[in-house]
């Protein structure tokens, strides 16, 4: 087993053309383009997908290799997954040759084998450079081809950076040089994820509401912070993909994701000094202003250097815990406290802020001035309330969301009644003095 650490970018042909020029300036070894064919296998009920596993046979120059990728972590375009590789003499699946301990407990491997059938394929030319950067070696692979499932296919044009030796921070630092080429965006979807989408009919990706954050029962404040910002980044990248595929309404969801990330920085601002995140917060603010004040084409925004650099910088900030250099012993103790208790305290503050904001509103025009504050506080509740039953949380949120919708629709009647309904609700969380 190895732990594969990769950073993926989706590239325009123009960016790909600049890649060799950049890499020629660095110490490197070059491998000319070769044809790769990959067959991905799955059961008829997507059992591997439900286990967060991917299984393929790769063929290159009449040599074959079976690879199983187990459950791992994806952050931005940074993919970290355990990987098991077995050489094959022919392209015939034989999962009995994989280590028995990789399968979930109770798995009948002999019964699983005949259920696995080809689901989709990828065919592409891969050109490779092995470069030295910092104290590390990074493999840079440029892939150009297509992913195919039945009669459906879509093009692949990707750049993958894989850490072969050394430190993850060197990989991320080199990526910052790479994005300066322009024409790149971070790839949170793997080739396998795109293949599954095609195999399921390639239906249009829908706009998704931001879910209640599930950080874990025993999560620390620091783990809650990482979970919140990682979820905001996922929300951004998912809707970026939806927007680029032609759904113009996804622009609002991208803006919401940016707002969500800014709220997350504000929420944890008392624990992480502002100077630890000042550059990131400014980048997010600038991006959000671009979406508010200008009509934007999806490709212009999503492939802009500022958008890509901000996603990469946030990935770097989270993956390398860059805030820690600003944290003293007292701050460390707070970060290691209970996220559940922190959430209860902050939910009480959100509630108090909403009451203070709306209890004295009398005129309809006053509501318009409060809409942005209300929207941000409701996003904050989504970040904090994941340990409570979803139906209870959504019932509490509903009158506030109805009020926000009425404000956006510039309704003049009914606002006072909606406000009274929202304000009379009882907290669903423990009070700040409970659970000490």
């Amino acid at each position: 087993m190895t732990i594969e650490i990769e950073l993926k970018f989706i590239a325009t042909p123009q960016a790909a053309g600049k890649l060799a020029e950049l890499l020629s300036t660095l110490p490197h070894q070059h491998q000319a383009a070769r044809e790769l064919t990959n067959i991905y296998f799955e059961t008829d009920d997507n059992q591997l997908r439900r286990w967060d596993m991917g299984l393929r046979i790769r063929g290159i120059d009449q040599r074959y290799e079976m690879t199983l990728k187990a459950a791992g972590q994806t952050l931005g375009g940074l993919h970290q997954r355990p990987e098991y590789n077995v050489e094959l003499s022919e392209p015939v699946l034989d999962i009995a040759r994989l280590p028995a301990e990789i399968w979930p407990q109770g798995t009948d491997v002999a019964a699983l084998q005949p259920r696995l059938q080809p689901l989709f394929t990828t065919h592409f030319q891969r050109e490779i450079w092995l470069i030295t950067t910092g104290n590390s070696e990074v493999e840079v692979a440029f892939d150009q081809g297509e992913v195919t499932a039945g009669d459906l296919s879509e093009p692949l044009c990707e750049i993958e950076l894989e850490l072969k030796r050394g430190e993850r921070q060197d990989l991320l630092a080199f990526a910052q040089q790479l994005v300066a080429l322009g024409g790149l965006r971070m790839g949170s979807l793997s080739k396998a994820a795109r293949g599954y989408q095609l195999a399921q009919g390639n239906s249009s990706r829908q706009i998704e509401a931001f879910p209640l954050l599930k950080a874990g029962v025993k999560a620390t404040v620091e783990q809650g912070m990482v979970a919140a910002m990682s979820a905001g980044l996922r929300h951004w990248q998912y809707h970026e993909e939806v927007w680029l595929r032609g759904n113009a309404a996804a622009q609002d969801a991208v803006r919401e994701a940016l707002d969500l990330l800014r709220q997350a920085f504000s929420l944890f601002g008392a624990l992480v000094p502002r100077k630890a995140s000042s550059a990131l917060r400014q980048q997010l603010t600038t991006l959000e202003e671009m979406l508010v004040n200008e009509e934007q084409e999806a490709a212009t925004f999503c492939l802009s250097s500022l958008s890509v650099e901000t996603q990469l910088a946030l990935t770097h900030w989270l993956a390398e815990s860059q805030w820690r250099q600003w944290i003293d012993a007292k701050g460390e103790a707070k970060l290691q406290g209970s996220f559940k208790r922190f959430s209860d305290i902050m939910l009480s503050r959100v509630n108090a802020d909403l009451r203070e904001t709306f209890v004295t509103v009398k005129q309809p025009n006053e509501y318009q001035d409060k809409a942005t504050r209300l929207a941000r506080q409701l996003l904050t509740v989504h970040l904090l309330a994941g340990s409570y039953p979803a139906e209870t949380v959504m019932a509490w949120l509903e009158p506030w969301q109805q009020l926000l919708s009425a404000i956006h629709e510039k309704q003049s009647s009914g606002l006072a009644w909606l406000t009274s309904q929202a304000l009379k609700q009882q907290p669903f969380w423990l009070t700040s003095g409970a659970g000490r």
Side-chain angles (χ1 to χ4, degrees):
M1 184 196 76
T2 59
I3 299 295
E4 179 187 57
I5 301 177
E6 289 186 335
L7 196 60
K8 299 177 184 289
F9 293 93
I10 297 173
T12 62
Q14 292 79 8
K18 300 176 184 176
L19 181 64
E21 182 179 345
L22 169 66
L23 297 178
S24 67
T25 65
L26 304 170
H28 71 277
Q29 301 172 34
H30 178 249
Q31 185 180 104
R34 295 192 292 176
E35 188 81 25
L36 275 69
T37 299
N38 301 277
I39 306 171
Y40 288 79
F41 295 83
E42 183 54 279
T43 66
D44 58 3
D45 61 352
N46 285 345
Q47 180 62 74
L48 296 185
R49 193 67 168 166
R50 287 186 280 118
W51 285 337
D52 196 15
M53 290 181 166
L55 179 65
R56 75 176 184 223
I57 291 177
R58 168 168 290 175
I60 179 170
D61 296 338
Q62 303 303 309
R63 296 178 60 187
Y64 304 97
E65 183 178 66
M66 176 174 61
T67 296
L68 185 137
K69 295 187 179 185
Q73 180 184 10
T74 299
L75 175 61
L78 183 67
H79 302 251
Q80 301 175 89
R81 303 186 72 177
E83 180 179 281
Y84 303 84
N85 298 297
V86 177
E87 289 191 10
L88 301 173
S89 58
E90 55 183 339
V92 177
L93 199 65
D94 185 4
I95 63 173
R97 296 184 60 188
L98 292 163
E101 65 271 13
I102 69 175
W103 303 105
Q105 188 172 6
T107 300
D108 186 338
V109 175
L112 179 62
Q113 169 82 44
R115 296 176 57 208
L116 293 165
Q117 300 297 323
L119 183 64
F120 59 89
T121 61
T122 61
H123 304 274
F124 52 89
Q125 292 274 337
R126 167 166 286 185
E127 190 173 3
I128 292 176
W129 295 261
L130 184 65
I131 68 162
T132 300
T133 179
N135 297 314
S136 305
E137 285 187 348
V138 173
E139 181 182 273
V140 182
F142 170 52
D143 297 338
Q144 192 164 22
E146 65 179 8
V147 55
T148 303
D151 296 331
L152 299 175
S153 66
E154 68 175 47
L156 294 173
C157 189
E158 301 179 347
I159 296 171
E160 295 184 358
L161 310 182
E162 182 177 354
L163 183 64
K164 291 297 188 181
R165 178 184 60 80
E167 301 296 327
R168 183 176 55 191
Q169 62 182 0
D170 287 335
L171 173 75
L172 290 161
F174 171 69
Q176 291 174 330
Q177 297 182 50
L178 191 65
V179 299
L181 293 174
L184 301 177
R185 62 186 179 90
M186 296 189 73
S188 59
L189 294 179
S190 64
K191 293 182 179 70
R194 296 168 71 181
Y196 272 99
Q197 179 73 16
L198 286 175
Q200 293 166 1
N202 202 29
S203 57
S204 299
R205 292 167 172 84
Q206 301 300 308
I207 295 172
E208 295 183 353
F210 185 77
L212 299 179
L213 178 69
K214 303 291 185 182
V217 176
K218 297 184 178 179
T220 65
V221 174
E222 184 173 43
Q223 289 168 336
M225 178 180 73
V226 172
M229 293 183 181
S230 300
L233 183 55
R234 283 195 301 274
H235 197 60
W236 180 1
Q237 292 185 321
Y238 171 80
H239 288 100
E240 178 180 87
E241 187 78 25
V242 176
W243 189 15
L244 284 162
R245 288 174 181 265
N247 188 339
Q251 178 176 339
D252 289 336
V254 170
R255 183 166 55 243
E256 178 184 62
L258 297 172
D259 206 2
L260 189 79
L261 286 165
R262 291 179 61 210
Q263 279 301 100
F265 277 113
S266 176
L267 180 63
F268 297 96
L271 304 175
V272 174
R274 292 179 63 82
K275 57 188 175 183
S277 61
S278 57
L280 267 172
R281 287 184 288 104
Q282 182 56 56
Q283 288 173 302
L284 291 167
T285 299
T286 303
L287 285 169
E288 194 171 3
E289 289 171 350
M290 288 170 62
L291 291 180
V292 169
N293 298 326
E294 301 178 24
E295 290 188 5
Q296 288 285 338
E297 292 290 334
T300 301
F301 181 86
C302 298
L303 290 167
S304 68
S305 58
L306 181 60
S307 178
V308 181
E309 287 168 5
T310 303
Q311 288 189 14
L312 181 59
L314 181 57
T315 300
H316 199 165
W317 196 82
L318 292 169
E320 295 298 317
S321 304
Q322 290 184 333
W323 59 88
R324 286 193 157 270
Q325 61 186 298
W326 307 97
I327 302 298
D328 58 17
K330 185 177 180 181
E332 172 68 15
K334 291 180 178 179
L335 285 175
Q336 297 313 309
S338 165
F339 180 61
K340 170 64 167 56
R341 183 170 178 276
F342 171 84
S343 296
D344 288 340
I345 293 169
M346 299 309 293
L347 284 166
S348 292
R349 293 180 182 176
V350 167
N351 190 49
D353 180 77
L354 289 174
R355 293 188 67 82
E356 181 181 348
T357 301
F358 286 96
V359 74
T360 60
V361 175
K362 302 298 182 184
Q363 300 299 321
N365 64 311
E366 294 180 69
Y367 283 96
Q368 296 297 328
D369 298 334
K370 312 294 186 184
T372 299
R373 189 179 194 90
L374 174 56
R376 289 175 176 170
Q377 292 292 37
L378 297 186
L379 287 176
T380 302
V381 173
H382 279 77
L383 295 175
L384 295 169
S387 61
Y388 291 93
E391 60 274 15
T392 302
V393 180
M394 299 313 292
W396 187 90
L397 284 167
E398 184 177 6
W400 288 113
Q401 290 171 331
Q402 289 176 345
L403 175 60
L404 182 62
S405 295
I407 296 172
H408 284 159
E409 292 167 9
K410 298 185 178 179
Q411 298 178 11
S412 56
S413 62
L415 292 176
W417 183 83
L418 286 170
T419 300
S420 68
Q421 292 300 107
L423 289 172
K424 70 171 58 172
Q425 295 185 104
Q426 295 301 308
F428 61 81
W429 58 92
L430 296 176
T431 62
S432 60
R436 291 183 186 270

